[in-house]
Structures are given as C-alpha cells and as structure tokens.
Amino acid sequence: MKRLERWMPILGWGRGYDAGTLSADLLAAVIVTIMLIPQSLAYAMLAGLPPETGLYASVLPLVAFALFGSSRTLAVGPVAVVSLMTASAVAPVVAAGIADAVTAAVTLAALSGVMLVAMGLLRLGFLANFLSHPVISGFITASGLLIAAGQLRHILGVPGGGATLPAILAGLARQLGQVNPWTLAVGAGALGFLYLARRSAKRWLIAAGLNARSADMIARAAPILAIAATILIARALDLGARGVALVGEIPSGLPVPRLPDLSPELVAALAPAAFLISIVGFVESVSVAQTLAARRRERIVPDQELIGLGAANLAAAVSSGYPVTGGFARSVVNFDAGARTQAAGVFTALGIALAALFLTPLLSHLPQATLAATIILAVLSLVDFPAIARTWRYSRPDFAAMLGTILVTLAVGVEQGVTTGVALSLGLHLWRSSRPHSAIVGQVPGTEHYRNIDRHEVITHPEILSLRVDESLYFANARFLEDRIAELVAERPGLRHVVLMCPAINDIDASALESLQEINRRLADAGIRFHLSEVKGPVMDRLQRSDFLDHLTGRVFLSQHAADCALRAAVEPCAEDQPAAQKLP
Amino acid sequence: MKRLERWMPILGWGRGYDAGTLSADLLAAVIVTIMLIPQSLAYAMLAGLPPETGLYASVLPLVAFALFGSSRTLAVGPVAVVSLMTASAVAPVVAAGIADAVTAAVTLAALSGVMLVAMGLLRLGFLANFLSHPVISGFITASGLLIAAGQLRHILGVPGGGATLPAILAGLARQLGQVNPWTLAVGAGALGFLYLARRSAKRWLIAAGLNARSADMIARAAPILAIAATILIARALDLGARGVALVGEIPSGLPVPRLPDLSPELVAALAPAAFLISIVGFVESVSVAQTLAARRRERIVPDQELIGLGAANLAAAVSSGYPVTGGFARSVVNFDAGARTQAAGVFTALGIALAALFLTPLLSHLPQATLAATIILAVLSLVDFPAIARTWRYSRPDFAAMLGTILVTLAVGVEQGVTTGVALSLGLHLWRSSRPHSAIVGQVPGTEHYRNIDRHEVITHPEILSLRVDESLYFANARFLEDRIAELVAERPGLRHVVLMCPAINDIDASALESLQEINRRLADAGIRFHLSEVKGPVMDRLQRSDFLDHLTGRVFLSQHAADCALRAAVEPCAEDQPAAQKLP
C-alpha cells in the first residue's frame, strides 16, 4: 500500500479527506478557475492555437496531476513560457507542411508527457540540474520580453510577424501606419486597467473596508472583469465591423478523447523541443512546488513531480490540449486561497469544464487585444533585470552564461537560447574545474605542517617537489595535472622525487587514474620517482582495485611529513624519522 | 622575440641547430618516410579518397607543423581514426550531391584547421577535457574494429558495403560466394607476412646479429617490403586481369595549391564532423607528444599544439590533402630513430614529396589488398579489450560511458559514438556530483569536534540540525541541498535552527547562492532560522558581494562549536560559552 501510495499520492491524502478540507479546496478552486479562464484563452493564442485548446489543456491535465503529483498546491495548466516554446516548436512543422498546428501541439504534449514520465520512473530528475539558475532566470526574462513584444501587434491591430526580437520590432515599426485605432483603444484601455488593478486595486479595496486576503483575491479577478467589459463594448459598438480582431466562434463542449499523431517524421521534428519544454517546465514547477510545500512543512518528491507533470501532459495530448506545467502565479493564488490538497485541482478542472460547456458562446465577441493585454501584464512580471546585475556582481562566469542565454533567446530563438545556456554553463564549469587550485608546498620550520611556498616561509629541497591539489581529480582536470607536473619537472633539472599530496582529493575517476599512470610513466622515463601522501581511505580502496600501485615507482605515505623525512633521509638526517611510510601491495 | 618565439617555436630551436642535430633528424626522417609512404596510401583508401591524397597530406602539413608545433618529435600526417571519421563525414555529402569526395575532404581539413587555430588562439584547449579517457579509449577500440571489418572486403575481393559493424558483417556474409581467390591469396599473404614481421622480425634480426634499435627500424619497414613484393607479383602474374583490384594510375607530381570550397551548404554539412575530428585528433596528438617530450624532460604547450595542428590542416586544405593529426606509431618511430627537432618533419615531407614525384608510376600495380592488410595490422594494435575490463573493475560510471561509446560507434556511427560518449560522461559526472556526500553532525562528547551521527556516538539536540556538505556547491548539486534540507525539516517537527557546516565548500556559484537564499526563505516561512559555520575566507568574500547575508535569518559562526553553544544557550548552559559568533554586515 505504501508502495502504491508513492506512485499515486492521492491514496495518501485521499483517505484523510474531510469536510473542512473540502470547503477550503472548493473555495481555492473557484478563485483559481476565475483566474485560469482568461489565462487559458490568452496562452493558447500565444501558442498560436485556437482559444479552446487552452481550456481543454486546463481540464484533464489538472485531474491527472491531482492523481499523480506529489505537490498538494501546485496549479498546472498552460503557462506563458511553455506556450512560447510551443509556438516556436510548432511553427516550423506547420511551415514544412508536416502537420497542422493543433496536431503538432498535441503530439508535442504527448512526447513531453512520455519523456517526463520516463524521467520520473528512471529517476532522471537530476537532468534538470543541467539548467543552472542564471540560465533559467535569463531564459525567462528573455522569453518575457519576446512574448510581450510579440503581443504588441494585437494591441496595435497590425499583422506583425517575426520570431526574434529584432524581427518583431522591425515588423512593428514598418506597420505603424496600419494601426487600427479601435483595436488600440481597446488594447491600451485593457492594459491600463490591468496595470492599475495590479498596482493599486488591492490597496483601494482594503481602503474600502475589505480584509487583505479578500482584496487580494478580488484584485486577481481583474482580467475576467476586463474580458467581460471589452466583450460588452465590442458588442455594443460592433467593433468586429470596425476591424478589431475578435476571438470568434469557439466550439462549445468538451474535446472528444483521441490519440495523438505519432508519425516518425512529426516525432523526429518535435522531440528536441519536447525535451526542452519538459526540462524547463519541470524546473519551474519544482521550484514553485517546493517553495509552497515548505511554507507548511510538507514535502514534494521531485521524481514524483515528473510523473505528475508527465501524466498531465499525456492527459493534454488525449484531450486536444497542448503542453502544460505548473504556473507560478496561479499556484500562489491557489495556496493563498487556502487549497490544502490536490482535490482543489480537480475542482478547478470542473470549473473550466463548465466554462468550456457553457461560457464559450459568450466569448465570440472578445477582442484579441484584451487577451494580449492579459499576457503582457502577466509576462512582464517574469522579466527580472535586477537579477542580471546581481549575477554580474556575484560571479562573472554565471553572468556570461546568463547573458548568452538572453541574447541568443532574443536574437535567434527559444530552443537555441536554452541549449546555448546549458552549453555555456557546462563549458564554464568545465573550464573552471579544469584548473583546480594547486600549490607547491614546503615544511613550516620546526613543525610537521606543509604549506604553500608562495604564502609561507617554508623549507624545500631541490631534489623533492611536493604538490598539493585542492580538488577531486576527474576527467575535466586530469590533463591539468599532467601539464602542471610536466611544466614543473621541465624547470627543475635536479629533481628526483615528486610527491602528490592528496588530503583534498575525494575521488579519482578512470581518466584521472590514467593521467596518474601516465605521470608515473613519464617521470620514470625522466628518472624521477612519483609518490603520494595523505590519500583518503575511499580513494585508496579504489586505487587498490587498479594496478596503479603495482607500477608506482615511489611509495604511498600516510603523511606529508613522513614522505618528506623518508625522501630527505639520504641527504640529511631528519629530526623525527619514523616508520610512517606505507607501501601497499 | 620571446613573444614571437611562443607563436613560432621554430625561432627557438632553429637558432641552436647544428650538424649533429641535422644528421640525427635526417636519419629519423628517412625511417619515418619509409613508414609513411604505405600508410599514406592506405589511409587515403580508408578515407575513401584517391591514394595520392594521402601523399599530399604528408607533405605541406608536416612543414606547417614543423613551423608552428611545440612538440619536437610528433609526426603528423594521415592517421587511421581520423581517416575513418573523414570517410564517415564525406560519404553523406557525396551521397547528397553537395560535393565530390576530394572537395569535401579538403573542406573538412580547412574547417578543422580553422577550428584548431581558433581554439589555440582563444586558449580553448580545455575543451578537449570533455573527452574523458574511457570515452577516447572506447572510441579508438571501436574505430579499430570498424576499420578492420571494413577492410576485409579488400582482402576478400568483394564489393562489401555498410558503415556500421552489423551492416559490414552482414554484407560480407552475403558476398562470401563472390570471393576472388587471387585477391584473397595476396591479401592473406600480406596479412600473414605483416603479422609475422610485427611479432617476430625484430627477434630474428637480433638473432641474426643486428642491434636492437636497427632491428626495430628494419622490422618497421616491413609494409614497404610487402608493397614492393606484391607489386612485383601483380605485374608478373598480371593479377589485374584476374580481377584483383589494383591502385591504378596515380598522377605524378605535387598538387597545385588551391583554395578549398567554402560554400555555406558544404560548410554547414561538414562543421560538426570537423569539430569532432579536431578534438579527437588533438587529444591523441597531445597525449603522444607529452609522453615523448617527458622522456627528454622537454615541454609541449597544449595551446601551441592546437595552432600547430591547425596550421597542418590548413596546409592539407590548400594542397589537396585531407585532415591530418599526430600519429602514435610514427611519432614513436621518429623519436626512437633519434629525431631531435621539428626539422625531422620537414625532411620527412621532402622524402614524401620525392615519392610523389618519382615513385607513383611504380605503384599502379599495387594490389589494394596489400594496403588493406597494412591498415588491418595497424588498427588492431589500437583495439584495447583489457582496458574495458580494467575500467569495469575501477569505476562503473566510467565503464558505462566507455561501453556506450563503443556500442554506439559500432552500431550507429563514429560521430554519434563520440557525442554519446561525451554526453554520457558529462551526464554521469553531473549525476555523481548532484549527490555530494553530506552528513548530519553532532558533538563528540567532551570535545569541540563534530562528527557524522551515523558513524559516531555524538550529542544532538531536537531543535538544532547541523548538516555538513563535503563538496563545493554549484548548479549540479544546488537543488540537492534544497531537497535534502526540505526532507530533513519535514521529518523534524520541533526544529528551530538549521546550521550548514561549510569547511569543505571551496566555491558557491550563482545557482547555489540562489538555492541557499531559497532555503533561507523557506525555513523562515516554517519558522526556522538558518545559520552557517566554518565558511572559508574566499567563499565569505563572495557571499558579501551578494545580499544573502542581509537576509540570512541566522548567523555565520566561525566554528561549529560556537554555533552549537550559541544555539543551545537558551536550552541548557554550555561548557565553554564564548563570544565566537560572527554576524557579518
């Protein structure tokens, strides 16, 4: 039972479910539903899909996540960044005539679902570590800018175009003469209203006598008010006839479940994007989920979150939706509104299903400019310029990875942006760890301590070189050691012994072992013996599984002092000569 | 002058050049030339190019490397693995009709040359660290098997075909009925002769009175003997008319310098392969060069080797050659024959140029089977099965990377094999470092020492959790810490303080900083204070460049004991209460 509960967390929280929890979850669900309806429509438009796709992606996926997710309060559904990534993945497939947009989006969700579930079952959640914080932060900032710029055409009522920031801005500049004044009025009005609502509505409502929580919840319903108002205005003034783009007829009802198109050509075209969407969505979800869980001292299981998100995407795939993930804003609203369990997600799904069944006829007069305004306000809160300055101050390599991600995302594309960021952070990490800190050490006079010759007055001997490396040895820095020792030996014609001091070496991988063997061989060719000192227990165990110690021309000493004494013994008497040398079989 | 000498090492060794060095270099050059003629022809055939291409790739590139390379004894030219990679890169370009094989090979050399020079100038030699030893070793073993299998068709005299090991073997099995007995006789004869020469010739020659070095040098000339003998046999028996594939007419003379075709389509198609060829060639060259330099306590400069190899490839590109790199066997021969400076390479180039001018008419009756036998004998020495077992014993993750590389190289292709290997070693490294060693610590009674609670009898307190992490914190393990602390906190309802003990943390990157901030925030939400202890100086300096310490709910303690005392003070009197706590601005 415990085991099954691990895979389906609902079996755990479902048993203790009571009336108090039910009413808390129901209230949260109502509030999230009101927030999710405009977002679903808007993000579907951002993804280049018909508006109902957004609603469909907010029904079954929520139920699937409630069954399999471990986070109690994460609210899943269409989100801005993943919608942008969907648009960018779907566009070339449509252009190449491989599939239509809806088919491609559904297949993308299916692929992403399969990948997420597989990663969860294989416990590959650590793959998300490839995305460093500066890369994610830079990517989200750049995506926010890209999305906001892309939506401006809906506010201006021009055709727009372009997929990169320069192209979008150039397109808008060329089309400024074609601006539709009615569209601009609606769009600018909605933008202004939403901006004021976000900035001041809560304060005004509190001043009007509401308590802080209610005021916050009502303020968050501003988009639905904007939608209702602009629908009424569009009907009253017949804005459709005046060139204002409206959402148009949305089919009522729920999608008929169907299997996604998994033709090899389509799968091959979408697989890389699906992988990036999975990783980006997972990283964002887990970070939100963990923050919320910690507030109530609950736990989430990252590998189980993968399965939950995977199930949600598979559900999106069979119900004509598109890729979903956990949303930051809506999860916070869900949490603050008092949601206690995943049941709140199920109730939200019911709310959206009711909207899909009964509200869609009302939406045909909704101006697209209103949705664009909703998107712009939502994504501009994702843009975090101060983070760029913070990263610059804290770490130049991290800043380089962040800047690379931002520039490539804006100027080339979202997939290229993420991969550039990953490549940069890996490359910079490798570059940094390819030059570990190392020091030539000598004896502090009168003690058994050995310190860096550059920082202390220490005793050394021309025939003995003692080198300390302050990092584990692995493939990225294995060659550094070869180079460093080769260089030091070439400078010291009288050298007869090299001692590698290993107190900070926690691990030696197969590449580093080969390098040590190579160093040993090369030193032997030059008539120099190679010794180790202060090797940690687990590292020594490992070395004994290889034949390195059989071929080692020198010895393994328990302490650097023992090494120094033994090697200097031939030259001068050592104060405390002791039988501390240890030669292993 | 010193500066210029860094870029053109010839200015250094050229000045001290004297008659003794000249005669040593000349002798080595003669021996390497004799070895290089058959290899050049054979590897060009392996690369799917006309035989003269191999000769051309052994003239100008050697001069270029002599001018710019820092290794004194590395012998560059066509090598087996790079020839296989060239064949694999050129084939799809030819099949797609983008360019003919020679044009593609020349462009490949040009791209590889540009990349190598750029990497050298930008000091990007560390990129070669991406290729771990097990991956390189597995790749070379797999390449050796693939090459040997691919050459069998020349020994059997069948058309052959296929680019993967299963395809090659299946093709040979189907064509067994078409074996040409004359070809098989020549091929098997050459194979047997070369095998005996390699295994026993040196011993026999020593027994016949030669000294070891001369015996070794003569034994290494066996391929040229095999070539001469089979040419004579082929002429005498008119083997060409009996269906034995001959090399045919080779144009005499040297290539007219010309610029490679750098059309965008061709460049785009070949760039990834050029990059892999550059990296693999560089790793192999540097490892050979370093081994040889160490024997004489000389030094090579890896970034300068990049420039040398890049210059060699650019020279190959303008002289109708194909990608070259340093060869293991011929460099050892060059070294053992007494080469002292890069001038030996220039003399070798002269030797090959003379061969291209005057020997080619003699080669038209050379059976391809002889060249195939040369290749098979050469590459089988690259196959290193014991290394697989050694890696298995030493490290399972390294073994996994090696096996993945071998299987993908054999079953899919060489480029995919290398990239799989790189991806696997990076992934496994990330996986390992995503779970750094950490321990909950407690006080060893009566001391100021704090140790792992799982290994020692120590004192802990239910309101205080002290966690020690034994690794630097960076993006790969940042989330581990978040998860681990979330987990520990969820299990301990009474917890009020978390202390992160940092004596082993050498660095905290921006991702890890974000994670610490997140942990601090989440713990604050749960009413728990977060403290640090034993933070190293450079890490502390860095943290002070961020606002982390301003928001830290707890304190930074100089020692774990100070932390423990201060935090327990409220609960019970501490033996040695001291003003050791340190709160930073």
Side-chain angles (χ1 to χ4, degrees):
Chain A
M1 187 64 192
K2 267 286 163 202
R3 182 139 212 175
L4 199 58
E5 195 179 311
R6 214 193 108 71
W7 297 114
M8 285 190 73
I10 191 178
L11 300 175
W13 58 265
R15 267 177 298 162
Y17 209 76
D18 58 24
T21 319
L22 173 68
S23 67
D25 284 346
L26 265 178
L27 175 67
V30 169
I31 294 168
V32 174
T33 303
I34 290 172
M35 182 177 177
L36 201 45
I37 292 172
Q39 284 196 354
S40 298
L41 300 169
Y43 291 150
M45 182 172 91
L46 163 56
L49 299 169
E52 65 271 20
T53 322
L55 294 175
Y56 298 163
S58 308
V59 180
L60 268 198
L62 277 65
V63 177
F65 185 79
L67 292 176
F68 295 101
S70 72
S71 167
R72 298 198 161 193
T73 47
L74 188 73
V76 303
V79 307
V81 172
V82 167
S83 299
L84 174 69
M85 294 178 83
T86 299
S88 143
V90 163
V93 168
V94 173
I98 301 174
D100 63 287
V102 172
T103 307
V106 158
T107 303
L108 198 61
L111 291 174
S112 171
V114 169
M115 288 173 183
L116 286 162
V117 170
M119 283 167 64
L121 294 176
L122 299 172
R123 312 219 168 178
L124 293 178
F126 75 94
L127 282 178
N129 292 336
F130 274 106
L131 276 184
S132 69
H133 273 279
V135 168
I136 270 283
S137 161
F139 177 65
I140 288 180
T141 287
S143 299
L145 292 174
L146 212 50
I147 293 171
Q151 294 302 310
L152 280 179
R153 66 188 172 102
H154 294 297
I155 303 282
L156 299 172
V158 298
T164 66
L165 192 64
I168 291 171
L169 296 180
L172 290 178
R174 270 197 311 276
Q175 298 163 359
L176 274 184
Q178 310 167 36
V179 168
N180 178 306
W182 295 96
T183 307
L184 181 58
V186 172
L191 259 185
F193 170 74
L194 291 171
Y195 175 73
L196 278 180
R198 166 165 300 214
R199 214 192 50 167
S200 315
K202 191 176 160 186
R203 204 155 14 99
W204 293 339
L205 290 166
I206 291 175
L210 267 78
N211 70 38
R213 213 181 111 197
S214 310
D216 191 47
M217 293 299 145
I218 293 179
R220 292 200 186 260
I224 211 113
L225 272 180
I227 285 183
T230 51
I231 289 175
L232 292 177
I233 294 170
R235 276 173 182 271
L237 304 180
D238 194 13
L239 290 182
R242 299 174 197 271
V244 175
L246 304 178
V247 163
E249 289 301 323
I250 303 178
S252 278
L254 292 171
V256 181
R258 57 167 197 178
L259 288 179
D261 170 6
L262 292 175
S263 67
E265 194 187 7
L266 189 56
V267 168
L270 292 174
F275 181 69
L276 292 178
I277 286 175
S278 304
I279 294 277
V280 169
F282 172 61
V283 169
E284 277 306 285
S285 292
V286 158
S287 132
V288 179
Q290 225 149 18
T291 302
L292 296 179
R295 287 203 203 161
R296 293 199 189 131
R297 293 200 182 197
E298 292 166 357
R299 269 199 70 206
I300 62 151
V301 184
D303 286 325
Q304 186 61 34
E305 290 299 281
L306 282 167
I307 295 176
L309 290 173
N313 276 292
L314 290 174
V318 297
S319 58
S320 302
Y322 75 98
V324 295
T325 192
F328 177 71
R330 79 187 61 150
S331 298
V332 172
V333 168
N334 192 36
F335 184 93
D336 287 345
R340 294 211 205 136
T341 72
Q342 288 93 326
V346 177
F347 301 141
T348 306
L350 281 176
I352 304 281
L354 291 175
L357 284 169
F358 304 114
L359 286 186
T360 47
L362 306 178
L363 295 170
S364 61
H365 279 73
L366 172 60
Q368 293 185 359
T370 311
L371 291 179
T374 317
I375 295 177
I376 291 175
L377 255 290
V379 297
L380 284 183
S381 68
L382 301 177
V383 174
D384 187 1
F385 289 125
I388 304 177
R390 272 203 312 276
T391 308
W392 163 259
R393 274 200 307 279
Y394 187 73
S395 156
R396 296 298 136 83
D398 279 314
F399 172 77
M402 188 179 213
L403 192 68
T405 309
I406 293 177
L407 294 180
V408 175
T409 304
L410 291 179
V412 186
V414 285
E415 289 168 30
Q416 294 85 345
V418 178
T419 37
T420 302
V422 170
L424 276 175
S425 20
L426 281 175
L428 289 164
H429 168 63
L430 223 63
W431 173 71
R432 279 197 285 181
S433 67
S434 69
R435 290 164 172 75
H437 185 255
S438 70
I440 301 174
V441 297
Q443 185 182 22
V444 180
T447 72
E448 296 188 6
H449 296 301
Y450 289 75
R451 294 280 182 278
N452 191 341
I453 59 165
D454 294 334
R455 298 206 186 171
H456 300 85
E457 284 288 327
V458 292
I459 306 168
T460 57
H461 193 280
E463 297 192 1
I464 306 169
L465 172 72
S466 297
L467 185 70
R468 193 193 66 216
V469 178
D470 296 343
E471 192 127 6
S472 291
L473 299 177
Y474 77 109
F475 64 86
N477 58 28
R479 284 182 192 94
F480 161 85
L481 197 62
E482 292 181 41
D483 292 350
R484 182 99 168 94
I485 289 185
E487 186 181 359
L488 292 172
V489 167
E491 290 164 359
R492 289 170 174 70
L495 202 62
R496 287 175 50 207
H497 298 279
V498 171
V499 184
L500 185 67
M501 193 179 162
C502 313
I505 297 177
N506 294 314
D507 191 25
I508 294 179
D509 81 351
S511 300
L513 178 72
E514 287 266 349
S515 286
L516 289 178
Q517 284 169 328
E518 228 10 76
I519 290 169
N520 181 52
R521 241 186 320 257
R522 288 174 192 161
L523 289 177
D525 284 345
I528 298 170
R529 292 176 66 195
F530 185 43
H531 312 267
L532 305 181
S533 75
E534 307 192 7
V535 181
K536 286 191 174 183
V539 175
M540 198 65 191
D541 293 347
R542 205 120 186 258
L543 289 178
Q544 281 169 326
R545 293 217 303 272
S546 76
D547 62 354
F548 173 69
L549 297 169
D550 305 337
H551 295 131
L552 186 64
T553 54
R555 295 154 70 185
V556 178
F557 294 96
L558 278 185
S559 75
Q560 176 61 25
H561 187 60
D564 203 38
C565 286
L567 299 177
R568 272 159 52 184
V571 190
E572 60 187 53
C574 193
E576 292 170 80
D577 212 347
Q578 52 196 24
Q582 172 198 28
K583 169 75 183 169
L584 281 125
Chain B
M1 187 64 190
K2 268 286 163 201
R3 182 138 212 177
L4 199 59
E5 196 180 311
R6 213 194 108 72
W7 297 114
M8 286 191 71
I10 191 176
L11 299 174
W13 59 262
R15 267 177 298 163
Y17 209 76
D18 59 22
T21 318
L22 173 68
S23 68
D25 283 346
L26 265 179
L27 176 67
V30 170
I31 293 168
V32 174
T33 304
I34 291 172
M35 182 176 177
L36 202 45
I37 292 172
Q39 284 195 355
S40 298
L41 301 169
Y43 292 150
M45 182 172 90
L46 163 56
L49 299 169
E52 65 272 18
T53 322
L55 294 174
Y56 299 163
S58 308
V59 181
L60 268 197
L62 278 65
V63 177
F65 186 81
L67 292 176
F68 294 100
S70 73
S71 167
R72 299 197 160 194
T73 48
L74 188 73
V76 302
V79 307
V81 172
V82 167
S83 299
L84 174 68
M85 293 178 84
T86 300
S88 142
V90 164
V93 168
V94 174
I98 302 174
D100 63 286
V102 171
T103 306
V106 159
T107 303
L108 199 60
L111 290 175
S112 171
V114 169
M115 287 174 183
L116 286 162
V117 170
M119 282 167 65
L121 294 177
L122 300 172
R123 313 222 167 174
L124 293 178
F126 76 94
L127 281 179
N129 291 336
F130 274 106
L131 277 183
S132 69
H133 273 277
V135 168
I136 269 285
S137 162
F139 177 65
I140 288 180
T141 288
S143 298
L145 292 174
L146 211 50
I147 293 170
Q151 294 302 310
L152 279 180
R153 66 189 173 100
H154 295 297
I155 304 283
L156 299 173
V158 296
T164 66
L165 192 65
I168 292 170
L169 296 181
L172 290 178
R174 270 198 311 275
Q175 297 162 2
L176 273 183
Q178 312 167 34
V179 168
N180 179 307
W182 294 96
T183 307
L184 182 57
V186 172
L191 258 186
F193 169 76
L194 290 171
Y195 175 72
L196 279 179
R198 167 165 299 217
R199 213 193 51 169
S200 316
K202 189 175 162 188
R203 204 152 17 97
W204 293 339
L205 290 166
I206 292 174
L210 267 76
N211 69 37
R213 214 180 108 196
S214 313
D216 190 45
M217 294 299 145
I218 295 179
R220 290 199 187 260
I224 211 111
L225 273 180
I227 284 182
T230 50
I231 288 175
L232 293 177
I233 293 170
R235 276 174 182 271
L237 302 181
D238 194 12
L239 290 184
R242 299 177 198 270
V244 174
L246 303 178
V247 164
E249 289 302 323
I250 303 178
S252 277
L254 292 171
V256 182
R258 58 165 195 178
L259 288 178
D261 171 6
L262 291 175
S263 67
E265 194 187 10
L266 189 55
V267 168
L270 293 174
F275 182 69
L276 292 178
I277 286 175
S278 304
I279 293 277
V280 169
F282 171 61
V283 170
E284 277 307 284
S285 293
V286 158
S287 133
V288 179
Q290 224 150 17
T291 302
L292 297 178
R295 287 203 204 162
R296 294 200 189 132
R297 294 201 182 196
E298 292 164 357
R299 269 199 71 205
I300 61 152
V301 185
D303 286 325
Q304 187 60 36
E305 289 299 282
L306 281 168
I307 295 176
L309 291 173
N313 276 293
L314 290 174
V318 298
S319 60
S320 303
Y322 75 98
V324 295
T325 193
F328 177 71
R330 81 188 59 150
S331 299
V332 172
V333 167
N334 191 38
F335 184 94
D336 287 346
R340 293 213 206 136
T341 71
Q342 287 93 323
V346 177
F347 302 142
T348 306
L350 281 177
I352 303 282
L354 291 174
L357 284 170
F358 304 114
L359 285 187
T360 47
L362 305 178
L363 295 171
S364 62
H365 279 73
L366 172 59
Q368 292 186 359
T370 311
L371 291 179
T374 317
I375 295 175
I376 291 174
L377 255 290
V379 297
L380 284 184
S381 69
L382 301 177
V383 174
D384 187 1
F385 289 125
I388 304 177
R390 272 203 311 278
T391 308
W392 164 257
R393 274 200 306 280
Y394 186 72
S395 156
R396 296 297 136 83
D398 279 315
F399 172 77
M402 187 181 214
L403 191 68
T405 310
I406 293 177
L407 293 180
V408 175
T409 304
L410 292 179
V412 185
V414 286
E415 289 168 32
Q416 293 84 347
V418 178
T419 37
T420 302
V422 170
L424 275 175
S425 17
L426 281 176
L428 289 164
H429 168 63
L430 223 62
W431 174 72
R432 279 197 285 182
S433 66
S434 70
R435 289 165 174 72
H437 185 253
S438 71
I440 301 174
V441 296
Q443 184 182 24
V444 180
T447 73
E448 296 188 7
H449 296 302
Y450 288 75
R451 293 281 182 278
N452 191 341
I453 59 164
D454 294 334
R455 298 207 186 170
H456 301 83
E457 284 287 326
V458 292
I459 305 169
T460 58
H461 194 280
E463 297 191 2
I464 307 168
L465 173 72
S466 297
L467 184 70
R468 194 191 68 216
V469 178
D470 296 343
E471 192 125 8
S472 292
L473 298 178
Y474 76 110
F475 65 85
N477 57 30
R479 284 184 191 93
F480 161 85
L481 196 62
E482 292 181 40
D483 292 350
R484 181 102 168 95
I485 289 184
E487 187 179 1
L488 292 171
V489 167
E491 288 164 0
R492 290 171 173 72
L495 202 62
R496 287 176 48 207
H497 298 279
V498 170
V499 183
L500 186 67
M501 192 180 162
C502 314
I505 297 177
N506 293 315
D507 191 25
I508 294 180
D509 81 351
S511 299
L513 177 72
E514 287 265 351
S515 286
L516 289 178
Q517 284 168 327
E518 229 8 78
I519 290 168
N520 181 52
R521 243 188 315 259
R522 289 175 193 161
L523 288 177
D525 284 343
I528 299 170
R529 293 176 66 194
F530 185 43
H531 312 266
L532 305 180
S533 76
E534 307 192 8
V535 181
K536 287 190 172 183
V539 174
M540 199 65 191
D541 293 347
R542 206 121 186 257
L543 289 179
Q544 280 169 327
R545 292 218 301 274
S546 76
D547 62 355
F548 173 69
L549 296 170
D550 305 335
H551 296 131
L552 187 64
T553 54
R555 294 153 70 185
V556 179
F557 295 96
L558 279 184
S559 75
Q560 176 61 27
H561 187 60
D564 204 37
C565 286
L567 300 177
R568 271 160 51 186
V571 190
E572 58 187 55
C574 194
E576 292 170 81
D577 212 349
Q578 53 195 21
Q582 173 196 26
K583 169 75 185 170
L584 281 126

